Amino acid sequence: MKRKCFGEDLCPVARSLEAVGDVWSVLIVREAFAGKRRFGEFERALGVAKNILTVRLRKLVAFGVLEQVPAADGPRHEYVLTERGRGLYLVLMALRQWGEDCGGESPYVLVDRRDGQPVKPLAFHAHDDRELGPDDMELVPAAEVKRR
Amino acid sequence: MKRKCFGEDLCPVARSLEAVGDVWSVLIVREAFAGKRRFGEFERALGVAKNILTVRLRKLVAFGVLEQVPAADGPRHEYVLTERGRGLYLVLMALRQWGEDCGGESPYVLVDRRDGQPVKPLAFHAHDDRELGPDDMELVPAAEVKRR
DNA sequence: GAGGTGTGGTTGCATCTTGCAACCGAATTG
DNA sequence: CAATTCGGTTGCAAGATGCAACCACACCTC
């Protein structure tokens, strides 16, 4: 049977998953952030089958995450992150942070390029900068917020 | 063929995807944050096939995202988020934020429970609280940071 | 205690998706 | 011209997914 469709779902989480809801897509975006742009680069870096890679790249292009641009060398093209694709940075880093917290320690640290210092862990903050956990927040209809 | 294994990968992103690298798992966690705990609740909320749900719930339990606890009523049990599972909040909200930014507007807003005010969008901050974009940061080996 | 009913699954089967390997066409290189 | 690289396409075998039917257990009702 066909994979269920989630795009119709109103929830933006489900809509996001429509675009990057499979492992290869996420890893491709990860590599794109790491500077990879060519078909072959993704293939070697990920060890993914060519046909799968073809389909995934096309899907990411279709969803506006990647963009095909003509390559300087010859008739081929490269895949680069669009502005929208670059918006996935937080998702990727949230995944990274979670995978790091639970499980083996990672030998890498995310640092500020300006001063080489580690950046603060990702977290939500209230308008007065208090740090907020899952239980300190709730999703409410936009209309409700305006009233308060 | 067997789905490729990513767990051996050193990258914590890949390790995370091993646990929550499929759409149903993410949506189940989303519903868990929304307060769902029973098999039937997940089934109805997501419209997922029972067999798939069974497998996904077991996987999430195996990865320590959910925990089976005996239910108050009768011999059944409930699935609740573990501390580790609750750590996925940022991932979920990052996905939500992205899905909201690109695509139709969402009718919901994440607010602080204390004062009902919208929370600040998720973002990285340097140690001096400057907001950082993807290009302002880089991943460096942990050893390098100590040297600086 | 016979017969529903709700919950939480399991099983079978048809269909998709994935992974691998082989092949291929165009351009570049030797 | 032959060989190689790049970026795919194609065919196939095996896994994953979706649906529906079935099932065991506890509970409720009569």
Side-chain angles (χ1 to χ4, degrees), chain A residues 1-3 22 24 47-52 56 74-76:
Chain A
M1 289 288 162
K2 204 178 205 164
R3 199 168 192 149
D22 66 285
W24 287 129
V48 56
K50 286 156 167 271
N51 53 348
I52 306 289
R56 288 297 181 278
R76 321 221 181 267

Side-chain angles (χ1 to χ4, degrees), chain A residues 7-45:
Chain A
E8 310 135 3
D9 200 325
L10 294 187
C11 172
V13 173
R15 280 210 313 267
S16 299
L17 291 176
E18 192 75 9
V20 289
D22 66 285
V23 179
W24 287 129
S25 296
V26 178
L27 294 179
I28 287 168
V29 172
R30 182 191 73 183
E31 293 304 320
F33 271 113
K36 307 277 197 306
R37 355 175 88 220
R38 303 295 289 254
F39 187 95
E41 287 184 302
F42 291 113
E43 189 192 357
R44 280 187 301 278

Side-chain angles (χ1 to χ4, degrees), chain B residues 1-3 24 47 49-52 56 74-76:
Chain B
M1 289 288 161
K2 204 180 208 164
R3 200 169 193 146
W24 286 129
K50 286 156 165 270
N51 52 350
I52 305 290
R56 287 298 180 278
R76 321 223 179 264

Side-chain angles (χ1 to χ4, degrees), chain B residues 91-127:
Chain B
V91 175
L92 231 32
M93 288 303 116
L95 273 174
R96 202 190 85 83
Q97 194 165 296
W98 188 74
E100 199 176 290
D101 287 351
C102 46
E105 61 284 11
S106 124
Y108 285 88
V109 177
L110 194 61
V111 301
D112 185 350
R113 273 217 162 89
R114 280 238 286 249
D115 56 14
Q117 290 304 305
V119 305
K120 294 187 175 180
L122 207 50
F124 270 110
H125 294 274
H127 61 98

Side-chain angles (χ1 to χ4, degrees), chain A:
Chain A
M1 289 288 162
K2 204 178 205 164
R3 199 168 192 149
K4 207 150 191 172
C5 176
F6 306 96
E8 310 135 3
D9 200 325
L10 294 187
C11 172
V13 173
R15 280 210 313 267
S16 299
L17 291 176
E18 192 75 9
V20 289
D22 66 285
V23 179
W24 287 129
S25 296
V26 178
L27 294 179
I28 287 168
V29 172
R30 182 191 73 183
E31 293 304 320
F33 271 113
K36 307 277 197 306
R37 355 175 88 220
R38 303 295 289 254
F39 187 95
E41 287 184 302
F42 291 113
E43 189 192 357
R44 280 187 301 278
L46 298 174
V48 56
K50 286 156 167 271
N51 53 348
I52 306 289
L53 181 56
T54 302
V55 173
R56 288 297 181 278
L57 286 174
R58 278 206 240 286
K59 194 183 80 168
L60 289 171
V61 169
F63 275 99
V65 173
L66 295 178
E67 192 181 9
Q68 261 191 352
V69 303
D73 70 319
R76 321 221 181 267
H77 43 262
E78 306 189 326
Y79 299 91
V80 300
L81 286 166
T82 60
E83 191 53 37
R84 174 179 294 190
R86 295 164 55 74
L88 283 167
Y89 197 70
L90 286 176
V91 175
L92 230 33
M93 288 303 118
L95 274 173
R96 202 191 84 84
Q97 193 165 294
W98 187 73
E100 200 175 290
D101 287 351
C102 45
E105 60 283 13
S106 127
Y108 286 87
V109 176
L110 193 62
V111 301
D112 185 350
R113 273 216 163 89
R114 279 240 285 250
D115 56 13
Q117 290 304 304
V119 305
K120 295 186 175 180
L122 207 50
F124 270 110
H125 295 274
H127 61 99
D128 59 358
D129 286 325
R130 274 181 300 116
E131 192 171 316
L132 299 172
D135 296 331
D136 302 323
M137 298 175 279
E138 67 186 320
L139 276 171
V140 304
E144 293 240 2
V145 179
K146 306 220 167 72
R147 281 203 293 94
R148 307 201 197 191

Side-chain angles (χ1 to χ4, degrees), chain B:
Chain B
M1 289 288 161
K2 204 180 208 164
R3 200 169 193 146
K4 207 149 191 174
C5 177
F6 305 96
E8 311 132 3
D9 200 327
L10 293 187
C11 171
V13 173
R15 281 210 313 268
S16 299
L17 291 175
E18 192 76 9
V20 291
D22 66 286
V23 179
W24 286 129
S25 296
V26 178
L27 294 180
I28 287 168
V29 172
R30 182 192 73 182
E31 293 304 320
F33 272 114
K36 307 278 196 306
R37 356 175 87 217
R38 303 294 289 256
F39 187 94
E41 287 184 302
F42 291 112
E43 189 192 357
R44 279 188 300 279
L46 298 173
V48 56
K50 286 156 165 270
N51 52 350
I52 305 290
L53 181 56
T54 302
V55 172
R56 287 298 180 278
L57 287 173
R58 278 207 242 282
K59 195 183 81 169
L60 290 171
V61 168
F63 275 100
V65 173
L66 295 178
E67 192 180 10
Q68 262 191 352
V69 302
D73 69 320
R76 321 223 179 264
H77 43 262
E78 305 188 328
Y79 299 90
V80 300
L81 286 166
T82 60
E83 191 54 36
R84 174 179 296 190
R86 295 163 55 74
L88 282 168
Y89 197 70
L90 285 176
V91 175
L92 231 32
M93 288 303 116
L95 273 174
R96 202 190 85 83
Q97 194 165 296
W98 188 74
E100 199 176 290
D101 287 351
C102 46
E105 61 284 11
S106 124
Y108 285 88
V109 177
L110 194 61
V111 301
D112 185 350
R113 273 217 162 89
R114 280 238 286 249
D115 56 14
Q117 290 304 305
V119 305
K120 294 187 175 180
L122 207 50
F124 270 110
H125 294 274
H127 61 98
D128 58 359
D129 285 325
R130 272 181 302 117
E131 193 170 315
L132 299 172
D135 296 329
D136 303 322
M137 298 175 278
E138 66 185 323
L139 276 171
V140 303
E144 293 240 3
V145 179
K146 306 220 167 70
R147 280 203 292 93
R148 308 199 198 193

